[in-house]
Amino acid sequence: MRRHTPPLIYSEAAFVPLGWGEHGTGSGSATSLIHKKAPEFVRTDLHHRKLDLRTYRGKVVLLDFWATWCASCQLEMPRFVAWQTQYGSRGLQIIGISMDDDPELARKMYEKQRLNYPVAMGDDKLGRLYGGVLGLPLTFLIDSQGKVQALFRGETGFELD
């Protein structure tokens, strides 16, 4: 069964896909971040540039935690490249967080997949900020005001027409 990209709401304040994500509660879990301010972080991306989540305020951010050994992560990367190309000028910013231990593995995957969005290395500390990254991929949709609006566990499964 093919799933289509949900319609987009776009305004000066935000652009958010409708009908996405998982909502719920759970103390100390990733779902407890829904409708709360996304934890801020500053990292160095794979190109040695500063990646500060705050600088993306005003954009909708798809924050994707992934690893090179994760097959589902690799399957959704081309989709994220397409979304960044198609929706980047309308206010979408995809950010990848590689949970690999070796940055060189992440760099090779970045090149292999021809990623067009920033990727930084994650660690346990960043994972804990986001409620514990226990399974990959784990993707957060952060609105233009900096609040987590949705959470995806596993491959997002949506395709562009």
Side-chain angles (χ1 to χ4, degrees), residues 39-58:
E40 294 177 353
F41 62 87
V42 177
R43 296 281 161 141
T44 301
D45 74 12
L46 295 178
H47 297 291
H48 308 289
R49 294 179 295 227
K50 181 179 175 181
L51 192 153
D52 183 344
L53 185 62
R54 285 176 290 188
T55 63
Y56 295 101
R57 196 66 46 86

Side-chain angles (χ1 to χ4, degrees), residues 25-93:
T25 59
S27 177
S29 72
T31 55
S32 67
L33 292 172
I34 301 291
H35 303 298
K36 294 182 181 154
K37 184 179 174 194
E40 294 177 353
F41 62 87
V42 177
R43 296 281 161 141
T44 301
D45 74 12
L46 295 178
H47 297 291
H48 308 289
R49 294 179 295 227
K50 181 179 175 181
L51 192 153
D52 183 344
L53 185 62
R54 285 176 290 188
T55 63
Y56 295 101
R57 196 66 46 86
K59 293 182 176 254
V60 172
V61 173
L62 195 70
L63 181 64
D64 179 47
F65 288 84
W66 60 274
T68 56
W69 48 262
C70 169
S72 293
C73 300
Q74 292 179 44
L75 287 172
E76 66 185 3
M77 286 176 175
R79 184 176 312 116
F80 292 165
V81 167
W83 288 353
Q84 186 63 53
T85 299
Q86 185 169 352
Y87 299 114
S89 64
R90 292 179 52 200
L92 174 68
Q93 181 60 60

